[in-house]
Every structure is written in C-alpha cells, then in structure tokens.
C-alpha cells in the first residue's frame, strides 16, 4: 500500500477511504477474498465506463469497492456513497485546507493526514474565556494535521483567511507554545501543569 486517504462528513454515505498501491491490484482476487471473509455476495453495478462492486449479505455492514485504476481502490459503506464520491471528484474541493490536505496525503510522505474545514459559527461558539489569550485563533478557517512514523514528527498547519490575520494568528500560536513550555517545566519540577495543557511535537502556521 502506497497511501490511504479517508474522507468523512458524519454519515455512512459520506464516508470513503481511497487506497493507492505501488503495484497493480488483482481486483477479482480482492473481491473474492473479501466476500469469503465477510460471508457476503457481490453485486456489480455499472457506473459510466466502470463498475461498482457491492459486497453485502453477510449480516454485517456492506462494503462497496470501486477501482478507478488497477492501483487505486475507493472503499465506501454504500452504493450511494460511492456515487457521491465519484460525483464530487469531478469538482475538486476549493477550500485551502482540504485541497492541500489531499495533496499531502497523496504525496506518500506522511503516515497520516487529517484535513478539515473550520466553519465560522463553530469558532464563534467557543467560550470567550478559552480564547482570551489567543483571540486571533477564532479566525481559523481550516486545520491540517499530519504525521510520519519515519521521522516521528507531527505537524499542525492552521489556515487563515489572509496573510495579515495569519501573522496575528502566529503570535497567538507562539503564546500557546510558551504556555506549553511553562506547563511542561512545572510538571518536571513536580508542579501542577497549566489547565488544559497538552503537548505537541511541532507547530506551523500558514
């Protein structure tokens, strides 16, 4: 397996995993194996110039496979979910966090990439006391978290609507890092850490 990307919006018809392999896959062997493991039957559904493979009937949740190429397979939990993924693939996401996250996940450089769009109303609902020392982080529009087993590093990229706001956001991130360092030092000396403080390996802002 070269990489695996996961996309979800909260329900089964909006969940998808894309797996890329370095070598060509034998889809018949894969389908036969999964049917045996799931005690399921395959139903083939023609879709444009390709075929959607629905594996169901084993008593558990169905699995739907779609092979755009012999090195890529899209896995969803429903036929409708697969069709929705294929429909959306014709209109790539425009949000900076999602489009950049997809490119990062496809690069093969990272073990895990999680990218999300942050809605304004979500940040507006964050209690004011939580944002008192980092007010500009309320302007975040997206977050990308990536990690690599090879380098043992984790990176968080924060997306802001403009360079000016990003600069202010970076100041707030630096404040958070300073608080973390104080909390870690206090913990090493046997003191109680700052409330709500957790550790991070690396920080980055865009």
């Amino acid at each position: 397996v070269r990489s695996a990307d996961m996309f979800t919006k909260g329900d089964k018809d909006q969940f998808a995993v894309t797996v890329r392999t370095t070598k060509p896959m034998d889809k018949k062997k894969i389908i036969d194996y999964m049917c045996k493991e799931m005690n399921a039957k395959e139903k083939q559904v023609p879709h444009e110039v390709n075929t959607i493979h629905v594996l169901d009937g084993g008593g558990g949740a169905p699995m739907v496979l779609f092979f755009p190429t012999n090195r890529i397979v899209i896995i969803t939990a429903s036929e409708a979910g697969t069709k929705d993924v294929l429909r959306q693939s014709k209109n790539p996401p425009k949000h900076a966090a999602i489009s950049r996250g997809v490119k990062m996940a496809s690069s093969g450089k990272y073990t895990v990439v999680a990218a999300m769009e942050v809605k304004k109303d979500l940040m507006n609902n964050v209690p004011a006391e939580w944002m008192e020392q980092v007010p500009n982080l309320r302007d975040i529009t997206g977050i990308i978290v990536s990690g690599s087993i090879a380098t043992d590093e984790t990176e968080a990229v924060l997306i802001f609507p403009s360079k000016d706001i990003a600069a202010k956001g970076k100041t707030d991130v630096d404040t958070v890092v300073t608080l973390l360092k104080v909390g870690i030092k206090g913990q090493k000396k046997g003191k109680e850490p700052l409330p709500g403080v957790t550790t991070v390996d690396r920080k980055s802002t865009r």
Side-chain angles (χ1 to χ4, degrees):
V1 175
R2 176 186 167 192
S3 66
D5 312 328
M6 183 174 71
F7 307 89
T8 180
K9 289 187 177 179
D11 63 73
K12 70 174 185 177
D13 287 338
Q14 295 291 334
F15 174 87
V17 176
T18 302
V19 178
R20 295 171 174 82
T21 61
T22 53
K23 296 181 179 180
M25 293 179 282
D26 186 327
K27 66 179 180 181
K28 185 179 185 308
K29 286 185 178 180
I30 292 173
I31 292 170
D32 289 346
Y33 174 80
M34 293 308 303
C35 284
K36 183 178 179 181
E37 288 295 307
M38 297 170 60
N39 191 29
K41 293 183 178 180
E42 175 198 8
K43 180 179 74 171
Q44 295 187 0
V45 180
H47 182 76
E48 296 181 353
V49 296
N50 211 322
T51 302
I52 296 173
H53 304 270
V54 181
L55 313 184
D56 199 3
M63 176 183 290
V64 182
L65 307 177
F66 184 81
F67 296 83
T69 74
N70 60 6
R71 284 183 169 85
I72 299 175
V73 57
I74 299 172
I75 306 170
T76 70
S78 71
E79 180 184 332
T82 298
K83 290 180 178 179
D84 189 53
V85 169
L86 297 175
R87 178 185 59 78
Q88 293 185 54
S89 68
K90 297 177 181 179
N91 298 291
K94 296 179 181 179
H95 191 278
I98 305 301
S99 58
R100 181 171 177 175
V102 170
K103 290 179 181 178
M104 290 171 66
S106 302
S107 70
K109 297 179 180 179
Y110 305 92
T111 306
V112 175
V113 176
M116 64 199 80
E117 179 181 357
V118 179
K119 297 293 186 181
K120 186 68 176 177
D121 57 350
L122 174 65
M123 297 307 294
N124 288 339
N125 288 328
V126 177
E129 59 269 23
W130 292 11
M131 307 296 292
E132 186 175 350
Q133 298 188 60
V134 288
N136 296 294
L137 295 189
R138 199 181 288 276
D139 294 319
I140 290 173
T141 61
I143 301 174
I144 306 172
V145 179
S146 61
S148 171
I149 294 176
T151 60
D152 195 27
E153 289 186 343
T154 301
E155 180 181 45
V157 178
L158 308 181
I159 309 296
F160 292 87
S162 71
K163 289 184 178 180
D164 290 340
I165 298 176
K168 295 177 181 178
K170 183 180 185 304
T171 300
D172 285 357
V173 171
D174 290 339
T175 298
V176 172
V177 173
T178 299
L179 291 173
L180 290 174
K181 289 179 178 178
V182 172
I184 292 170
K185 285 182 179 179
Q187 194 172 34
K188 288 181 178 179
K189 292 180 180 180
K191 299 179 181 179
E192 289 294 323
L194 295 175
V197 169
T198 56
T199 59
V200 294
D201 296 318
R202 186 177 173 186
K203 57 91 179 175
S204 175
T205 58
R206 296 289 187 273

